[in-house]
Amino acid sequence: MAAGALTRNKKKGAKSQTPPLSKRTKSNITPPPKKAAKSHKPPLKKQRKVISEEKPEVSTDEEEKEEEEVSEQSDELGSDFFSDGDGEEKEEDDDSEEEDKEPLADDFLDGSEDEEGTLGSDSDSDGSDLEKESKAIDEERKREERDAKDELQMNIKEQPDEFRLPTKKELEEEASGPPDLPTLQTRIKEIVRVLSNFKDLRPEGVKRKEFVEQLKADLASYYGYNEFLIGTLVEMFPPVELMELIEAFEKQRPTSIRTNTLKTRRRDLADVLLNRGVNLDPLSKWSKVGLVVYDSQVPIGATPEYLAGFYMLQSASSFLPVMALAPRENERVVDMAAAPGGKTTYVASLMKNTGIIYANEMKVPRLKSLTANLHRMGVTNTIVCNFDGRELPKVFGQNSVDRVLLDAPCSGTGVISKDESVKTSKSANDIRKVSDLQKQLILAAIDLVDAESKTGGYIVYSTCSIMIPENEAVIDYALKKRDVKLVPCGLDFGQAGFTRYRENRFHPSLDKTRRFYPHVHNMDGFFVAKLKKMSNETKASGNELVETKEQAQLSSDDDDDSIEELKKPSGASGKPKQDIKVDKSKRRIPISEPNYKGNENKNASVEGPRKQKKKRSQWKAEIAQAREDKRKVMRKNTKESGRR
Amino acid sequence: MRPLDENETTVVFEKIFKFVGNNLKNIVENPSHEGPEQDPGRYCFRLHKNRVYYVSESLVKRATNISRKSLVSLGTCIGKYTHAGGFHLTIMSLSVLAANAKHKVWLKPTSEMSFLYGNHVLKGGLGRITDSIVPGDGVVVFSMSDVPLGFGVAAKSTQDCRKLDPNGIVVLHQADIGEYLRDEDEL
């Protein structure tokens, strides 16, 4: 027998199915949201009788409603009543329960006229009546059981309708008209509910994939995403978190401003702005210069204080890469993608206008705003230039600066709340193109930094995107290609980056990178990574011709050799550098030796790389051998001269 | 980018002299604190694409390898040459001027916004004024809280100002910080 839940969702249990009524406890009474058949409590004959008799009728008696489960309007009443009744019943034994119910039964009797004969007068009936009664009771019981079963079936069938996936026909109907937003919304909610507990809540025979596909389609049409983007998001997040993220993208993040410490202090600025009628608060405990603006009577971007350069309108997430960079005074810093200048001015204020900042921006129209912001904020230690970021190592020279900030051009998927067009305009191709660009830029950034710098040697890479190919994949690429390592950003409140994702396996140190999400941190989606350059040499790979200083100094012979022989074994995560470094150290003219850090005397391992070159034909190996010998001789000569 | 030649230097210095007077010496010989070395040297003026920049020497040294086409700005831009050959100081020079200004005017809060929209300073908006202003002097305009708002040319001497009616122009507007919003493209 199913438990006698009176209503679908009410916590009332039915009268318990266990014969001893005294055992009926509240726990029995709080059933899962299934309807239960009427319970059968032998002792409560009268009650049951009453109830069963009343069942077919639409009576207003609460107890009956409780038991009947048919009438939905009275559910609440019924349940409440029933709980009261339960409370009573709990404490009492069968008879007393019976007695408690009896007055009600009497009421029922009084109220209705269609009762079957035997009511409330068991005690008074004689033998033959008893027989009849008991027969009637049995029949009633059977009928109840049947009805209860049917109801249960009906109810169970109704529930799956909530998360039954729409059939093709229904989908076609929907597609033919404008999307019905409330339906979509309820369906989305239901699917999320099922997916979050798929084991328990799944209907029969339906695969998870179908649910996911339907969810994707619904989310795409309800919120306006294109397929690619919604597919990626669904893969990245579990369903509940996905909903939070998408909802967060629909709303604006709070406006925040950053005090310009070159000209004022946060407290003074807050006072002045409060006088003007701006409602603001300190941003959070991790920033000493940030203020969040709730609302304002004057336009926050046009106050005299803004024009005088006391603060800068900047989103909270943009503080993070500069905080991670932590530039010191009298350092040389490059900002490779500086416009409109929020981060550059922050760097300058941290450096107190000392040292030198190179602010580079590739797009000409954005240069004006960069220059204007720099002047407005009173920054005097900056040179603004207009290059493609990838050319910068040639312009400034390699290994020439202390720190580099690369806020890379990205797909912008983290700032959907600012720019809704990203929802529909990004495709897999765009992500691929932009991540290629980012990879080139980060290599250029690394080449700019001087590993030997006394106070620096850091690169901070950040994007306002949450996509894996633009973030972790780029850092992983950099780790493979250059002698850098990840260090903690100093931002302890973000989420750690992915070290593996679907089929990708990244370097384990990638958990030092930080991800920020709108639904968790209430700032734009962001990614920050801080790299330290360990040494100035590079690991060239067979796939690319990396023109490093060292390689450029090699003779053309050496170049050919190094390109041929340095076929990086693919798939090795970050460890090919040993073999390849050894290769290069052997192959290079020792002009660059001072840059090495301890790879100098690995003569013995010359043989190793050569063994790895399974593709080399014999004659090439011979030639290589000959060159090796030549080079050894040269090296010995220059070693002597170099070490003086 | 090149250093200013004789004529250009004279012109620029004359303009600045109107505002700062003898403090010009300060400006030119100010020891700078920019640049990564411990002793970065002094400031100098450089001409690049018709704009005059006030930069410290160490920055200049480092900017020499940037090609003319790609260099956009260094240090502080203080003014630019017009097509006709005249030289105008721009709003970006405000910090330099304000620090060394000889003639100052303070505005009442009510008339700050008006000045920031590009209007001239009227007698009614005047809060304080330094003495000994001669018509034609450069004047730096401040708000009552000592925030520099812009600069202009004095229209009347201090004495005359006192006798002026409230709608009379005291300072002819030349540049104000509202231009950062109004005339972004001109800068």
Side-chain angles (χ1 to χ4, degrees):
Chain A
M1 273 304 161
L6 301 181
T7 65
R8 261 190 245 165
N9 302 321
K10 297 302 183 240
K11 58 184 165 102
K12 262 346 119 55
K15 302 194 176 206
S16 68
Q17 305 139 17
T18 62
L21 286 165
S22 53
K23 276 196 194 159
R24 207 178 342 150
T25 58
K26 279 240 162 102
S27 57
N28 284 341
I29 291 160
T30 56
K34 285 191 210 167
K35 281 204 190 167
K38 295 212 172 15
S39 64
H40 306 277
K41 302 173 202 95
L44 287 178
K45 286 183 203 164
K46 271 189 211 166
Q47 198 175 354
R48 228 186 317 115
K49 247 198 302 180
V50 168
I51 291 168
S52 60
E53 286 161 355
E54 297 299 325
K55 197 181 70 162
E57 300 136 8
V58 181
S59 74
T60 55
D61 292 328
E62 290 144 334
E63 231 180 47
E64 291 184 356
K65 286 176 210 154
E66 290 178 351
E67 304 257 19
E68 290 198 1
E69 316 169 35
V70 174
S71 65
E72 295 170 6
Q73 301 144 351
S74 51
D75 280 354
E76 310 218 53
L77 284 175
S79 47
D80 287 339
F81 189 85
F82 195 65
S83 62
D84 293 342
D86 282 345
E88 285 176 63
E89 287 158 359
K90 249 203 290 190
E91 293 139 24
E92 297 157 42
D93 60 11
D94 302 348
D95 291 338
S96 48
E97 281 169 325
E98 210 176 321
E99 285 170 8
D100 284 336
K101 295 292 182 182
E102 266 197 284
L104 300 167
D106 284 338
D107 288 340
F108 298 160
L109 289 172
D110 293 339
S112 66
E113 293 172 352
D114 296 337
E115 298 146 17
E116 296 160 44
T118 56
L119 283 178
S121 50
D122 276 352
S123 46
D124 299 333
S125 50
D126 54 23
S128 57
D129 282 338
L130 267 172
E131 260 188 55
K132 282 190 209 158
E133 280 177 19
S134 64
K135 271 193 198 149
I137 288 169
D138 285 341
E139 285 170 17
E140 281 308 313
R141 203 193 303 172
K142 282 189 196 130
R143 206 197 319 161
E144 266 177 58
E145 279 185 42
R146 241 182 306 134
D147 288 343
K149 263 192 200 154
D150 289 343
E151 275 186 39
L152 181 56
Q153 294 299 324
M154 198 169 58
N155 290 337
I156 291 182
K157 278 204 199 101
E158 282 173 17
Q159 272 182 329
D161 283 351
E162 296 176 6
F163 47 88
R164 176 180 58 83
L165 291 177
T167 59
K168 278 214 172 84
K169 220 176 153 198
E170 287 176 10
L171 283 173
E172 279 171 17
E173 282 176 23
E174 276 186 27
S176 60
D180 178 16
L181 293 179
T183 328
L184 278 180
Q185 199 177 24
T186 42
R187 203 159 66 204
I188 289 173
K189 285 206 185 102
E190 277 305 316
I191 297 183
V192 169
R193 189 171 65 87
V194 170
L195 283 177
S196 55
N197 194 0
F198 199 61
K199 208 166 47 155
D200 295 336
L201 297 175
R202 62 182 294 183
E204 297 299 317
V206 187
K207 298 205 194 107
R208 191 189 175 103
K209 188 168 173 213
E210 296 177 21
F211 276 98
V212 172
E213 289 300 322
Q214 183 60 40
L215 179 65
K216 275 198 232 174
D218 286 344
L219 285 174
S221 68
Y222 187 76
Y223 289 103
Y225 285 81
N226 67 355
E227 267 194 53
F228 166 72
L229 193 53
I230 201 71
T232 336
L233 290 176
V234 164
E235 286 166 9
M236 279 176 69
F237 297 100
V240 178
E241 205 182 334
L242 175 69
M243 288 313 296
E244 288 177 17
L245 178 72
I246 292 191
E247 285 294 326
F249 274 146
E250 296 296 308
K251 301 194 205 97
Q252 290 280 348
R253 302 275 78 72
T255 319
S256 61
I257 61 179
R258 189 198 90 234
T259 325
N260 182 11
T261 49
L262 290 174
K263 294 201 173 182
T264 184
R265 286 182 315 191
R266 180 164 74 163
R267 195 174 311 174
D268 301 337
L269 176 66
D271 287 338
V272 173
L273 285 178
L274 284 169
N275 281 344
R276 292 213 180 263
V278 179
N279 199 357
L280 47 75
D281 256 349
L283 179 62
S284 45
K285 53 180 165 31
W286 46 263
S287 168
K288 294 202 188 63
V289 295
L291 288 163
V292 64
V293 174
Y294 298 116
D295 53 54
S296 160
Q297 291 172 3
V298 293
I300 194 73
T303 61
E305 283 73 38
Y306 174 80
L307 296 171
F310 283 8
Y311 63 89
M312 175 92 188
L313 278 174
Q314 191 171 26
S315 60
S317 50
S318 299
F319 291 36
L320 303 169
V322 181
M323 287 166 60
L325 185 70
R328 310 247 180 88
E329 300 187 22
N330 287 320
E331 275 188 349
R332 300 159 292 176
V333 178
V334 171
D335 187 346
M336 282 175 69
K343 299 189 183 67
T344 321
T345 47
Y346 193 8
V347 172
S349 67
L350 286 178
M351 291 166 72
K352 300 203 182 47
N353 252 341
T354 60
I356 182 170
I357 303 179
Y358 297 92
N360 175 57
E361 172 57 38
M362 190 175 92
K363 296 200 183 139
V364 172
R366 305 189 72 189
L367 285 169
K368 278 202 187 308
S369 61
L370 173 59
T371 331
N373 276 325
L374 287 171
H375 281 92
R376 188 174 58 80
M377 306 283 275
V379 172
T380 53
N381 65 346
T382 305
I383 295 179
V384 181
C385 49
N386 169 229
F387 289 108
D388 183 339
R390 298 169 277 189
E391 307 171 346
L392 284 182
K394 288 199 197 100
V395 173
F396 295 141
Q398 306 216 348
N399 310 325
S400 55
V401 300
D402 296 314
R403 293 180 201 248
V404 172
L405 173 63
L406 172 54
D407 185 38
C410 64
S411 61
T413 45
V415 286
I416 289 179
S417 31
K418 282 194 197 146
D419 178 12
E420 302 222 349
S421 67
V422 172
K423 283 187 202 170
T424 50
S425 58
K426 297 302 170 190
S427 67
N429 231 2
D430 290 332
I431 305 281
R432 215 185 348 246
K433 268 192 255 172
V434 85
S435 86
D436 278 345
L437 174 63
Q438 289 164 346
K439 285 174 179 156
Q440 292 172 342
L441 282 172
I442 199 171
L443 289 187
I446 296 172
D447 288 335
L448 271 177
V449 175
D450 181 12
E452 316 277 323
S453 143
K454 288 186 215 64
T455 58
Y458 291 100
I459 304 108
V460 169
Y461 173 83
S462 69
T463 61
C464 54
S465 157
I466 52 176
M467 299 271 144
I468 308 273
E470 299 181 64
N471 297 335
E472 280 86 355
V474 171
I475 299 291
D476 197 56
Y477 176 82
L479 288 175
K480 288 190 183 125
K481 291 279 189 174
R482 291 287 188 275
D483 190 7
V484 291
K485 76 168 195 199
L486 274 169
V487 294
C489 303
L491 306 165
D492 46 3
F493 57 93
Q495 286 192 5
F498 291 94
T499 48
R500 56 184 175 82
Y501 176 71
R502 294 172 73 82
E503 72 273 8
N504 301 357
R505 293 289 175 272
F506 302 124
H507 197 271
S509 67
L510 261 130
D511 60 355
K512 297 203 184 71
T513 64
R514 287 286 174 263
R515 283 178 156 262
F516 299 90
Y517 295 117
H519 62 291
V520 177
H521 308 97
N522 200 18
M523 52 173 83
D524 298 315
F526 220 71
F527 172 83
V528 181
K530 186 171 180 180
L531 298 161
K532 170 127 177 68
K533 189 167 181 181
M534 303 310 295
S535 74
N536 281 334
E537 65 188 60
T538 67
K539 307 168 233 170
S541 82
N543 301 333
E544 312 186 352
L545 196 45
V546 175
E547 290 287 324
T548 66
K549 208 198 284 185
E550 289 89 351
Q551 239 181 347
Q553 289 166 357
L554 292 172
S555 64
S556 55
D557 285 351
D558 291 350
D559 261 347
D560 293 338
D561 254 355
S562 42
I563 296 161
E564 286 170 354
E565 300 184 347
L566 297 174
K567 291 262 184 218
K568 186 168 85 157
S570 62
S573 57
K575 294 311 153 192
K577 81 179 196 179
Q578 280 195 348
D579 295 327
I580 296 178
K581 248 194 205 167
V582 164
D583 270 347
K584 284 209 89 76
S585 70
K586 295 312 129 202
R587 305 240 174 309
R588 275 191 217 133
I589 294 176
I591 291 172
S592 38
E593 251 189 353
N595 285 335
Y596 299 154
K597 299 205 161 145
N599 277 329
E600 289 151 26
N601 297 318
K602 294 202 181 136
N603 290 321
S605 40
V606 163
E607 307 306 323
R610 210 167 288 134
K611 282 176 194 155
Q612 288 185 8
K613 289 169 283 158
K614 298 162 193 161
K615 300 177 190 173
R616 295 278 69 83
S617 50
Q618 275 296 340
W619 64 271
K620 274 191 179 170
E622 288 171 20
I623 294 179
Q625 181 66 38
R627 287 179 181 158
E628 255 307 298
D629 298 332
K630 236 196 294 177
R631 245 177 261 124
K632 271 185 194 160
V633 170
M634 278 178 62
R635 203 175 298 119
K636 280 191 199 121
N637 295 340
T638 49
K639 253 188 200 170
E640 295 163 6
S641 58
R643 292 233 173 110
R644 258 178 249 138
Chain B
M1 173 180 55
R2 60 174 173 83
L4 301 175
D5 63 14
E6 275 299 321
N7 291 342
E8 291 159 353
T9 324
T10 337
V11 171
V12 171
F13 278 14
E14 266 183 25
K15 287 262 163 156
I16 301 184
F17 181 75
K18 281 200 205 145
F19 285 89
V20 302
N22 291 331
N23 286 339
L24 187 57
K25 196 155 150 295
N26 270 358
I27 294 185
V28 175
E29 291 177 6
N30 199 11
S32 85
H33 52 270
E34 286 123 27
E37 297 89 32
Q38 290 305 101
D39 179 22
R42 305 192 314 195
Y43 286 96
C44 48
F45 294 88
R46 288 288 180 270
L47 178 69
H48 176 67
K49 285 190 191 174
N50 274 345
R51 285 190 154 92
V52 178
Y53 295 93
Y54 174 72
V55 283
S56 90
E57 281 174 358
S58 58
L59 253 68
V60 168
K61 262 193 293 179
R62 287 195 156 69
T64 46
N65 63 338
I66 301 178
S67 74
R68 188 180 176 276
K69 217 166 36 109
S70 313
L71 182 63
V72 174
S73 157
L74 26 142
T76 319
C77 166
I78 55 170
K80 60 182 187 174
Y81 280 95
T82 57
H83 286 301
F87 177 74
H88 289 159
L89 290 166
T90 56
I91 187 59
M92 303 208 225
S93 59
L94 185 61
S95 47
V96 174
L97 295 179
N100 301 294
K102 276 269 162 75
H103 312 292
K104 304 186 194 176
V105 154
W106 285 262
L107 288 190
K108 290 189 192 145
T110 42
S111 55
E112 271 174 22
M113 289 313 290
S114 165
F115 181 68
L116 292 184
Y117 280 123
N119 300 320
H120 303 298
V121 176
L122 306 179
K123 165 90 186 308
L126 209 52
R128 273 169 64 192
I129 183 167
T130 49
D131 292 333
S132 69
I133 291 187
V134 172
D137 270 350
V139 174
V140 179
V141 178
F142 291 84
S143 76
M144 286 316 284
S145 40
D146 267 340
V147 175
L149 298 176
F151 53 84
V153 173
K156 298 266 194 284
S157 68
T158 320
Q159 299 288 31
D160 292 343
C161 284
R162 300 218 172 99
K163 298 178 219 150
L164 212 51
D165 63 320
N167 279 336
I169 295 179
V170 175
V171 175
L172 292 159
H173 165 283
Q174 277 185 341
D176 67 272
I177 52 181
E179 283 174 19
Y180 282 120
L181 288 182
R182 291 198 318 271
D183 298 331
E184 261 180 337
D185 299 331
E186 302 290 315
L187 294 174

